[in-house]
Amino acid sequence: MNQVYQHNRVITRPVPGEHSLLVYTEDQPNVFLLNTKTWLIFALCDGATHQEVADQFVSAVAATQTKDQALGDLEEGLNQLEQKGLVRRISTTTSTTGTT
């Protein structure tokens, strides 16, 4: 069983000139403003596993952060996104085929 991140029902709009993303949650109406880093994490989440998100995020910020710094920011960003109800972790089943 794998866990992947999935966006909840949201409407998004980039904010021109602000380098941020405006996110409106439909199920529990609220508006959030994501900074560039959290916006990147949000964009990487839809349908990706934690490892996939981590690999892509670390690669994207490698020019400005160490791997440890990037992973710390990633965990903080994921926690914020989950707490705000913008993403959630869902379990998926993977099928394996055995050979004899």
Side-chain angles (χ1 to χ4, degrees), residues 34-46:
L34 304 183
N35 64 24
T36 307
K37 200 172 289 186
T38 311
W39 181 359
L40 173 59
I41 296 167
F42 177 78
L44 294 173
C45 280
D46 207 20

Side-chain angles (χ1 to χ4, degrees), residues 2-8 41-53 56 78 86-92:
N2 286 330
Q3 285 194 331
V4 298
Y5 289 96
Q6 181 180 51
H7 292 162
N8 285 328
I41 296 167
F42 177 78
L44 294 173
C45 280
D46 207 20
T49 66
H50 186 276
Q51 189 62 53
E52 291 167 336
V53 173
Q56 291 177 5
L78 287 171
L86 303 180
V87 298
R88 62 190 163 132
R89 295 178 204 218
I90 60 169
S91 295
T92 62

